[in-house]
Amino acid sequence: MAFSTMSGPLRCGPIREGAARNTGLVVLTQSLDTGVVTNGVGNVDFALGILPQGSQIVDITVDQVVVPGGSSTSTVSVGNASGGAKLMAAIATTAGGRFRGATTAATQLAWQTSTSADTPVFVRYAVGTEACVGRAIVTVSYVQRAPNG
């Protein structure tokens, strides 16, 4: 399968202007697979990617695919700086499965990314105090800014 790279938002629909407008922008994703984190203790920070300026985040999901063993815990947070949690506060993912962080006014405001610069996205994966392993896949879904705002 081939991939294509585009330089701007992809708009779909045949009628762009007026009352019968039926176009919409495509939702894009960037994902990070932490791989198996074996350090067992502490925080591990990852760079997930960079969102184009003016993008709007529409969802952040965490798939905990390998759960820590024993009595250890794991949490995942997402920020626009290494170790940050501005985009998604830390959520406990110990049980495994799919998680979404609780949204607040502050996170929703941060999901309207910078209109003057690209926005880096970082993931902090924290495994508790017991030596163990864990693995998560974090996906940020977003829409690029339309050329007319």
Side-chain angles (χ1 to χ4, degrees):
M1 174 184 277
F3 288 96
S4 297
T5 300
M6 303 186 77
S7 63
L10 179 59
R11 185 187 309 266
C12 294
I15 304 171
R16 182 176 176 191
E17 305 291 338
R21 179 174 65 113
N22 65 357
T23 60
L25 297 173
V26 174
V27 175
L28 305 167
T29 64
Q30 291 189 34
S31 294
L32 168 80
D33 184 339
T34 65
V36 175
V37 177
T38 58
N39 74 331
V41 177
N43 302 322
V44 182
D45 294 320
F46 300 92
L48 183 141
I50 298 174
L51 303 184
Q53 72 180 39
S55 295
Q56 177 185 0
I57 297 172
V58 295
D59 198 12
I60 300 174
T61 57
V62 178
D63 294 317
Q64 184 73 36
V65 294
V66 174
V67 297
S71 62
S72 189
T73 61
S74 60
T75 61
V76 176
S77 61
V78 180
N80 59 358
S82 184
K86 186 175 184 177
L87 302 174
M88 186 184 83
I91 55 170
T93 59
T94 305
R98 177 164 282 184
F99 300 89
R100 286 182 168 87
T103 57
T104 65
T107 58
Q108 294 309 105
L109 184 59
W111 284 17
Q112 314 300 314
T113 64
S114 172
T115 57
S116 60
D118 293 343
T119 299
V121 178
F122 294 89
V123 173
R124 171 164 278 186
Y125 185 66
V127 178
T129 58
E130 184 178 303
C132 61
V133 300
R135 178 180 170 201
I137 299 169
V138 180
T139 302
V140 176
S141 300
Y142 64 98
V143 177
Q144 286 183 283
R145 178 176 65 177
N148 60 355

